[in-house]
Amino acid sequence: MKGYRISIIRHGMTEANEKGIYIGSTDMPLSAKGASELASKMDEFDYPSVHKVYTSPLCRCRETAEILFPETETETVDGLSELNLGDFEGKSVDELINRDDYKTWLRGGSSTKPPNGESLEEMTARTFSALHNIIIDMMNNGLTHCAIITHSGIISNLLSCFGLPKYDAKYLNAKAGEGFDIIVTTQMWLNSQAFEILGYCPYEKIPEDDYEDWRPE
């Protein structure tokens, strides 16, 4: 049965990430350091060759796509944006730690939201819809390997909710410029709304000497 592979990758670092500031849906570009780190990862690892890149509309993701997949068609998908943190946007943990509404949010369940923000339930619903549309687009157009550039919270939530085998979200954290490969079949997705988690992305480079050893005579 035909499988559709997706490399889900986190964007590069921003100044807010480096300073430990919540940005969520705030639109910030990559920092100079973040862009440089992505370029270094391209030298250190092998990124897949993909048919298409689907990206969050936030510029840190679009810029990451331009660095990692400069020659590949890109489509912006609004549902891939990071969680809207409302009144907590632009603030650090130190600034929030004594606020009652912040403590309530940290203790709360999936329906709890920051003031003027978005709940985990709401985020899960829109990201499921976004992923569904991406998978259907891949199936309709015969795209067997694509990439998604999105945010750490989106990645851990998608994989913990719809991925097999089941992992707690805390074990599915992606580093900047890195993520996970998944594979889905038509039957698996349409019947169960699930996909298989294959492993990490990008991939370790094969040393040239080893590659020569593997070549057929």
Side-chain angles (χ1 to χ4, degrees), residues 129-151:
S129 178
L131 181 61
H132 177 77
N133 290 336
I134 288 169
I135 292 171
I136 296 302
D137 184 56
M138 290 177 65
M139 292 176 178
N140 287 341
N141 292 286
L143 309 176
T144 55
H145 194 171
C146 292
I148 290 174
I149 309 294
T150 185
H151 309 267

Side-chain angles (χ1 to χ4, degrees), residues 48-138:
S49 296
V50 298
H51 295 111
K52 187 175 180 178
V53 179
Y54 304 90
T55 178
S56 158
L58 300 184
C59 64
R60 55 191 183 270
C61 290
R62 291 186 283 107
E63 290 174 352
T64 298
E66 290 170 4
I67 293 171
L68 298 183
F69 302 98
E71 305 298 327
T72 307
E73 176 189 357
T74 301
E75 179 180 333
T76 298
V77 180
D78 289 342
L80 295 175
S81 291
E82 182 61 289
L83 182 72
N84 182 346
L85 294 169
D87 293 354
F88 301 156
E89 297 268 347
K91 296 180 174 61
S92 67
V93 172
D94 288 343
E95 292 175 288
L96 296 170
I97 196 64
N98 293 317
R99 288 179 50 161
D100 290 339
D101 53 3
Y102 181 67
K103 295 176 183 177
T104 299
W105 177 63
L106 291 179
R107 290 194 304 266
S110 60
S111 61
T112 306
K113 65 177 73 178
N116 299 309
E118 180 182 29
S119 70
L120 191 60
E121 281 182 349
E122 292 168 332
M123 184 189 81
T124 301
R126 66 169 167 81
T127 52
F128 169 79
S129 178
L131 181 61
H132 177 77
N133 290 336
I134 288 169
I135 292 171
I136 296 302
D137 184 56
M138 290 177 65

